[in-house]
Amino acid sequence: MILNKYKKRYLITFLCVGILQIFASCKKDDKLLEINSDITTIIYMEANNNLRGEARKAIHELEGGLLNTKAKSNILVYIKDNDDIGYLLQIVANADPYRIVSDTIMSFPFYRKSDANQIREVLTYVDKRYNSETYNLVLWSHGTAWSPGADYLSPPKSKSFGEDRGQQIDIIALKDALPMHFNFIVFDACSMASIEVLYEFRDKADFIIASPTDILSDGFPYKAFISALSYPDRNSLIRIANSFFNYYDIQQGLYRSASVSVTDLSKLSKLASYLKLKSDHDRVYVTDGVQRLDFTPGFPVKLYDFSDFITKNFKQEDADAIRKLMDEAILYKNNTKEFLGNKIYKFSGITISCPLPDDPFYTYYSELSWNKDSFFLK
């Protein structure tokens, strides 16, 4: 039995009352400390949901992490945790775990719940203000792989990125909202290391760090790797992912549950092209016995380990070639042997789905870039 209280974005570790007033009271200083850096990292928090306390904890970790690093880069947080205003903060070092001292750079009124246009507005403002050579992005909220937002269909209920009291953003709208290219994107949200998500963002970033399973409530341990945000090299990407894995691997019991991968998005086109050559629309894909990585009861889409799915559905020669291409794209992968009591026998770092024609999301899936380019489904 999987206990909901252990799920990422269900366990609140801080009671955050009046967080709106906390940010509103931050004095905007027109003489903000200018950090001489060509690298800017934006952590975009959709927290107008049951994540308010988790958002505050993450900001404290960022402030605390800056105390012990000499890295010089811009680290910004945009947090939306209420119905009226979102706040863009420039993170500054702070040892006080009960008070957020980061400077409020700008406030953004909004008129709809979770909205891709708001993401575009915030990121466009950041680009104009900082004009950095390199940008990194952390997308922080609920997540359910490629599953469309609740506007798409009412049943089944889904929690795609940015859940805001029943409103979500699907990955196509989210991808289209990103106004600049990123060195890397971190999804601090559940189940976003699916081939469908990764491929959709292949022109928006060089790399993606994400989990193919749920993420437990603590999320990514920002304090452990904050200095890595100042360096655009691959070793920094692996350090971020490895810090995430190590944080959970030393836990006890059900809390020892984690999976993560780093994907080079430039390698995915070859993978899609090869599958297109081998596609057979009359093929009936086998899913029985394939390693599942969706462990939440009622999860809106089925997630299969990519490698295990390929092994059971293609002849050995083709499966070997596909796995080789996939391994070239995966810079790093790691997982605990169990996730919330569910054994993981096969793990490639990426998931894939295979909705049947009677699936309510089948039509939506057929319009994803992955399906169009790989001819995976009819």
Side-chain angles (χ1 to χ4, degrees), residues 65-353:
L66 280 182
L67 290 171
N68 300 313
T69 179
K70 296 179 180 180
K72 299 296 182 182
S73 65
N74 299 305
I75 299 178
L76 311 177
V77 168
Y78 172 80
I79 179 168
K80 186 183 79 172
D81 71 320
N82 63 90
D83 292 340
D84 301 309
I85 299 175
Y87 295 95
L88 182 66
L89 311 176
Q90 181 162 325
I91 300 299
V92 298
N94 171 36
D96 187 345
Y98 303 105
R99 190 168 66 97
I100 293 173
V101 303
S102 294
D103 295 300
T104 301
I105 299 171
M106 179 63 70
S107 59
F108 293 84
F110 49 86
Y111 310 101
R112 295 183 70 238
K113 292 182 286 187
S114 193
D115 184 13
N117 289 327
Q118 187 78 11
I119 295 176
R120 182 182 296 108
E121 181 181 355
V122 172
L123 295 180
T124 299
Y125 173 85
V126 169
D127 191 26
K128 289 180 178 179
R129 179 182 179 110
Y130 290 89
N131 193 29
S132 292
E133 182 177 324
T134 300
Y135 288 102
N136 304 316
L137 177 65
V138 179
L139 291 168
W140 187 104
S141 193
H142 286 286
T144 48
W146 58 270
S147 172
D151 277 350
Y152 183 71
L153 289 173
S154 49
K157 184 69 173 177
S158 66
K159 277 188 175 180
S160 196
F161 180 79
E163 200 276 332
D164 185 346
R165 295 164 297 116
Q167 180 88 13
Q168 300 92 24
I169 307 169
D170 67 50
I171 62 168
I172 297 176
L174 179 61
K175 176 255 300 183
D176 290 341
L178 303 184
M180 63 274 220
H181 188 85
F182 296 92
N183 174 41
F184 67 78
I185 295 174
V186 174
F187 276 104
D188 196 350
C190 293
S191 305
M192 302 304 277
S194 78
I195 189 62
E196 297 85 0
V197 173
L198 299 172
Y199 196 82
E200 199 70 35
F201 285 84
R202 70 195 183 284
D203 295 326
K204 292 296 183 176
D206 296 332
F207 307 95
I208 282 182
I209 304 170
S211 172
T213 63
D214 289 322
I215 298 175
L216 299 194
S217 63
D218 284 351
F220 275 72
Y222 297 96
K223 191 173 182 179
F225 60 75
I226 194 168
S227 62
L229 300 178
S230 296
Y231 304 98
D233 58 273
R234 296 188 178 199
N235 288 336
S236 295
L237 304 176
I238 293 172
R239 178 183 168 191
I240 292 170
N242 198 46
S243 295
F244 170 83
F245 174 76
N246 289 337
Y247 178 85
Y248 291 99
D249 195 40
I250 63 173
Q251 306 298 327
Q252 301 295 319
L254 294 180
Y255 284 98
R256 190 180 184 185
S257 298
S259 71
V260 66
S261 62
V262 180
T263 303
D264 182 343
L265 301 182
S266 70
K267 305 294 186 182
L268 296 183
S269 292
K270 288 184 179 180
L271 182 61
S273 296
Y274 188 88
L275 276 171
K276 182 178 179 179
L277 290 174
K278 301 299 178 180
S279 289
D280 178 1
H281 284 168
D282 293 326
R283 183 194 303 270
V284 177
Y285 288 109
V286 173
T287 56
D288 289 344
V290 179
Q291 173 73 62
R292 292 278 293 272
L293 293 174
D294 53 305
F295 298 124
T296 305
F299 198 81
V301 296
K302 295 177 181 179
L303 303 176
Y304 303 99
D305 179 74
F306 191 99
S307 180
D308 199 31
F309 181 91
I310 294 300
T311 298
K312 290 181 171 61
N313 283 284
F314 290 82
K315 61 184 181 181
Q316 184 173 343
E317 179 183 357
D318 292 336
D320 289 344
I322 293 169
R323 284 195 299 269
K324 181 180 179 181
L325 290 171
M326 185 184 65
D327 288 343
E328 291 175 359
I330 302 298
L331 303 183
Y332 171 93
K333 61 182 178 181
N334 217 335
N335 66 288
T336 52
K337 294 181 180 180
E338 295 185 0
F339 194 96
L340 297 178
N342 299 274
K343 291 188 179 298
I344 299 178
Y345 299 100
K346 304 287 186 179
F347 183 78
S348 62
I350 294 178
T351 60
I352 190 171
S353 296

